[in-house]
Amino acid sequence: MDDIQIKKQPKKYDAIIVGSGAGGGMAAYVLANAGLKVCLLEAGPNYDPRENSSQLKQPWESPRRGASTKFRPFGDFDGCYWGWEIDGEPYTQKDGSNWEWWRARMVGGRTNHWGRISLRFGPNDFKRRSIDGLGDDWPISYDDVKPYYDKIDKLIGVFGTNEGLYNDPDGLFLPPPKPRLHELFIKKAAGNINIPVIPSRLSILTKKINKDREACFYCAQCGRSCKIYGDFSSSSVLVKPAVATGNVDLVVNAMAREVLTNRDGLATGISYVNKADMQEYQVFGRTVILAASACESARLMLNSKSSRFPNGIGNSSGVVGKYLHDSTGADMGGIIPELFDRKRYNEDGVGGMHVYTPWWLDNKKLDFPRGYHIEYGGGFGMPLYGFNWDIQNLNGMFKIHGKQKEAGGYGASLKEDYRYFFGAHVGMAGRGEGIAREDSYCEIDPNVVDKYGIPVLRFHTKWSDYEITRLST
């Protein structure tokens, strides 16, 4: 594009940050509080949970009764704008790949709706190649990172308990919430077969830690983002106080296109498209920080080509975009008959599990590497619209108030059945670690651009036998 068509910003910054999520928000927070001048670029609109959250809204307040849309795939009240698909921003697949790329477009990014599970890497996680021969060891150890984990615990607030588990390190925890009834059942049963069930470690305030954030009042709607800033979102905990220092210029709806460099190959700024007027702008600074998520940052680097960087900036090794992997997941559910026809009371709790199971098995006795933790769900919750739980598989099997009924039903009898089974469900989900491999990667698609004219990513990914075996075991 000709220089005459590009609007170059005259202000020079100490740092330009692309992305306002967990990484970009933290960079802005630290630099702004150190007195540096920062330009924070975000591809989506501004978002303040206090003003924009749908917390405490009822299903009937949505024109779709809370149903999901492309804009909000997790439901009409979810705290995230966009997800797997974004209008005008495609990505492509090759060789049978089916990579599902979640992209948030808003200040705070995905931290506005995530599960707040805040676990530390353990000592073994930094040296996996030495243990199982897969991937690479980190050039640093847990001891190097521990002081920063401690700082994070104090800054954002994480509840939990110190259990002395070697690869699930202790932290500076807030008091955990009490287990719900179904979690007590799970803990008792697991204890009988020597499976550990301990308090979860979530970044949710069970007590007040500063003047700007209130303690959780247990509405179980963290996924909508919190109006009182009781949980960790980059938007409320990092970006908002960073902007309040007066040292951050927040530029929203700014779609980063390219990292700019000088003749020595040093990064000098970012070229971006303003979504409001579809014009290209350039902003300059002494340092450029890419924190637009793993894949989006890789896309930006691969699109930043020059005579010095023909394969993209920082990519002389050809590694940018490679070793792409995701966590694994498998879940199952059931019912606890002892919880049929429970007494009604509020047990909403935090927006997530109060207990979980860390990895406890010995890989030497298993046919897959690494492991998984188990997340638990169940109990009461706010009633929702729809026919839930496959009710026909319950009321045709179990007696209700001593009476055997036919499966399904309608009217007063069906309402009675739902009330009878309400709160008896439990679920568990295993979340494991994928193995990083060079043949799983993303690259620039030479034939497709988004609506801003920026080349998009093309994915070449597949699960390995390691992940498949873990999920099938």
Side-chain angles (χ1 to χ4, degrees):
M1 185 176 287
D2 295 335
D3 282 352
I4 195 171
Q5 296 177 285
I6 299 174
K7 299 182 179 181
K8 298 184 178 182
Q9 304 302 303
K11 184 175 181 179
K12 300 296 191 295
Y13 295 90
D14 293 307
I16 300 165
I17 303 170
V18 181
S20 64
M26 182 60 73
Y29 180 89
V30 172
L31 296 178
N33 280 285
L36 300 182
K37 299 299 182 182
V38 175
C39 179
L40 180 59
L41 301 176
E42 166 54 49
N46 201 358
Y47 186 87
D48 182 345
R50 180 165 290 157
E51 303 297 329
N52 305 116
S53 171
S54 297
Q55 189 180 29
L56 302 182
K57 284 190 174 181
Q58 302 292 348
W60 54 83
E61 296 181 68
S62 163
R64 292 169 295 279
R65 298 296 190 260
S68 64
T69 62
K70 188 189 298 185
F71 181 60
R72 274 181 159 156
F74 277 29
D76 200 34
F77 296 144
D78 184 62
C80 190
Y81 294 166
W82 300 106
W84 292 291
E85 297 179 77
I86 302 177
D87 289 342
E89 298 186 39
Y91 56 93
T92 62
Q93 315 270 2
K94 194 173 183 180
D95 301 329
S97 299
N98 186 30
W99 182 263
E100 295 180 334
W101 185 18
W102 184 279
R103 294 168 292 170
R105 291 286 187 263
M106 61 198 302
V107 168
R110 284 175 284 184
T111 66
N112 290 298
H113 91 140
W114 70 305
R116 274 77 188 184
I117 300 172
S118 302
L119 305 175
R120 299 184 179 203
F121 272 23
N124 289 344
D125 297 316
F126 290 87
K127 53 181 181 180
R128 285 298 182 186
R129 184 174 183 84
S130 297
I131 295 173
D132 58 29
L134 300 172
D136 283 296
D137 289 346
W138 288 57
I140 56 177
S141 69
Y142 173 74
D143 289 336
D144 295 320
V145 179
K146 181 183 182 301
Y148 300 95
Y149 275 132
D150 290 346
K151 287 183 178 181
I152 288 292
D153 283 354
K154 290 188 286 186
L155 174 63
I156 71 175
V158 179
F159 71 68
T161 52
N162 291 324
E163 302 286 338
L165 303 174
Y166 176 72
N167 207 48
D168 298 279
D170 295 339
L172 306 178
F173 295 129
L174 300 175
K178 294 180 180 179
R180 306 171 178 98
L181 182 56
H182 69 278
E183 292 167 328
L184 291 173
F185 271 75
I186 291 169
K187 183 175 177 63
K188 180 179 180 181
N192 291 333
I193 52 176
N194 297 317
I195 295 177
V197 175
I198 65 174
S200 300
R201 296 169 177 181
L202 274 59
S203 49
I204 299 172
L205 301 186
T206 53
K207 69 177 185 179
K208 194 175 174 72
I209 63 172
N210 61 40
K211 63 181 180 59
D212 299 316
R213 302 172 60 198
E214 300 296 330
C216 177
F217 58 91
Y218 303 120
C219 73
Q221 294 180 2
C222 297
R224 300 185 182 191
S225 75
C226 185
K227 287 183 174 293
I228 64 168
Y229 305 157
D231 57 22
F232 171 73
S233 295
S234 177
S235 51
S236 55
V237 180
L238 300 176
V239 176
K240 187 178 177 67
V243 171
T245 66
N247 291 327
V248 176
D249 289 342
L250 175 61
V251 182
V252 298
N253 294 311
M255 193 70 185
R257 184 181 71 81
E258 179 184 5
V259 179
L260 303 173
T261 58
N262 61 19
R263 65 182 61 188
D264 296 321
L266 300 177
T268 58
I270 292 289
S271 178
Y272 68 90
V273 177
N274 184 326
K275 293 182 176 181
D277 60 17
M278 297 300 287
Q279 297 294 307
E280 184 167 348
Y281 293 74
Q282 291 181 351
V283 61
F284 300 93
R286 293 193 296 129
T287 300
V288 175
I289 299 171
L290 303 185
S293 82
C295 294
E296 201 70 76
S297 293
R299 177 193 180 194
L300 185 53
M301 295 175 71
L302 293 170
N303 274 324
S304 301
K305 296 181 179 181
S306 64
S307 58
R308 181 180 284 268
F309 303 115
N311 298 318
I313 191 170
N315 194 30
S316 59
S317 64
V319 170
V320 173
K322 294 185 178 179
Y323 298 95
L324 180 60
H325 60 291
D326 199 357
S327 57
T328 60
D331 60 82
M332 62 183 298
I335 50 92
I336 300 177
E338 289 89 339
L339 299 182
F340 288 166
D341 200 24
R342 294 176 57 184
K343 178 182 178 181
R344 299 293 186 266
Y345 58 90
N346 185 338
E347 63 170 7
D348 286 350
V350 303
M353 67 276 189
H354 288 191
V355 299
Y356 88 111
T357 291
W359 179 241
W360 74 100
L361 295 175
D362 182 358
N363 285 99
K364 294 178 181 179
K365 301 178 181 179
L366 302 170
D367 58 355
F368 60 85
R370 319 289 167 90
Y372 52 84
H373 70 248
I374 301 177
E375 303 167 13
Y376 299 106
F380 292 136
M382 286 291 290
L384 303 171
Y385 280 95
F387 294 91
N388 301 302
W389 318 331
D390 288 327
I391 190 71
Q392 70 279 2
N393 294 328
L394 293 175
N395 60 3
M397 179 181 298
F398 298 98
K399 291 183 178 181
I400 299 169
H401 296 130
K403 179 181 178 182
Q404 187 67 57
K405 296 185 178 182
E406 293 185 4
Y410 60 93
S413 177
L414 182 60
K415 290 181 180 179
E416 177 190 35
D417 300 348
Y418 268 110
R419 294 188 179 101
Y420 186 79
F421 294 120
F422 184 43
H425 286 79
V426 294
M428 55 187 68
R431 306 296 182 196
E433 177 184 351
I435 305 300
R437 306 185 325 277
E438 187 176 7
D439 63 349
S440 185
Y441 63 96
C442 60
E443 64 181 357
I444 298 300
D445 191 317
N447 302 311
V448 181
V449 299
D450 64 19
K451 65 181 179 181
Y452 310 106
I454 305 172
V456 308
L457 284 181
R458 178 170 65 189
F459 290 93
H460 303 249
T461 62
K462 61 181 180 180
W463 295 111
S464 73
D465 291 339
Y466 300 123
E467 290 85 30
I468 295 171
T469 301
R470 182 190 302 138
L471 292 174
S472 61
T473 300

